[in-house]
């Protein structure tokens, strides 16, 4: 019986398609009617409520970010993102991180990702770990990052502090 219904449905769909093709008009399918919240199962109502809550939370956070006091470096200067400055900070030298013996012995491989501030004063400040590795690898990357030499970013003709993200790769193939 099910096969008969399926065959009938296919025949009707093919007939409708060929009739539309002959007439030159394309009939667009009607959008499916959405059940009202009272008709939805309880689980779907909860999922919809969660989505609405997350959306409103995201909007509030975005508004709060715009209104929030900007972050400051150690000297009290505002820290800018790369798109907010006229001239981005330029890294002159980025020393390699020393691959710790213990990490080599434990076959630690991967990358360390650090977020830091390239301050208007020419110093690296506020180093935070975005992604780390064990056995002293993260600490070695932080130590190397603190020795980065750079030309500070500029905005409106003056030196400003800027966020930067730095990656250090570690693997057995390194010297």
């Amino acid at each position: 019986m099910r096969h008969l219904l399926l065959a009938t449905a296919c025949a009707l769909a093919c007939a409708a398609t060929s009739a539309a093709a002959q007439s030159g008009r394309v009939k667009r399918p009607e959008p499916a009617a959405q059940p009202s919240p009272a008709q939805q199962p309880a689980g779907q109502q909860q999922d919809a409520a969660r989505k609405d809550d997350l959306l409103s939370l995201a909007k509030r956070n975005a508004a709060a970010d715009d209104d929030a006091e900007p972050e400051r470096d150690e000297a009290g200067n505002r820290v800018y993102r790369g798109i907010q400055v006229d001239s981005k900070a330029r890294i002159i030298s980025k020393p390699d991180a020393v691959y710790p013996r213990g990490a080599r012995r434990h076959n630690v491989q991967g990358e360390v990702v650090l977020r830091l501030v390239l301050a208007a004063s020419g110093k690296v400040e506020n180093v935070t770990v975005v992604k780390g590795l064990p056995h002293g690898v993260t600490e070695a990357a932080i130590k190397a990052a603190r020795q980065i030499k750079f030309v500070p970013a500029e905005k409106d003709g003056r030196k400003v502090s800027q966020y930067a993200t730095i990656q250090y790769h570690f693997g057995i193939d390194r010297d």
Side-chain angles (χ1 to χ4, degrees), residues 2 4 23 25 29 33 57 66-68 75 77 90-93 120 123 131 142 158 162-163 168 170:
R2 196 168 88 187
L4 182 60
S23 70
R25 289 194 253 169
L57 179 64
D66 292 341
D67 297 338
N77 300 315
R90 286 189 338 266
I91 294 179
I92 298 168
S93 71
K123 295 180 181 179
K131 180 182 173 191
I142 291 171
R158 62 182 182 87
Q162 175 191 330
Y163 288 111
Y168 282 97
F170 293 88

Side-chain angles (χ1 to χ4, degrees), residues 145-163:
R146 289 196 180 280
Q147 299 185 19
I148 291 174
K149 302 293 181 208
F150 64 94
V151 175
E154 289 188 16
K155 182 172 177 70
D156 300 327
R158 62 182 182 87
K159 293 179 182 179
V160 295
S161 299
Q162 175 191 330
Y163 288 111

Side-chain angles (χ1 to χ4, degrees), residues 8-54:
T8 306
C10 285
L12 289 173
C14 290
T17 304
S18 68
Q22 289 174 359
S23 70
R25 289 194 253 169
V26 177
K27 183 175 180 180
R28 302 199 190 273
E30 295 287 327
Q34 296 293 326
S36 69
Q39 295 172 336
Q40 289 181 342
Q44 287 181 354
Q45 288 177 4
Q46 290 173 349
D47 289 345
R50 278 191 210 119
K51 287 179 185 175
D52 290 341
D53 290 344
L54 289 174

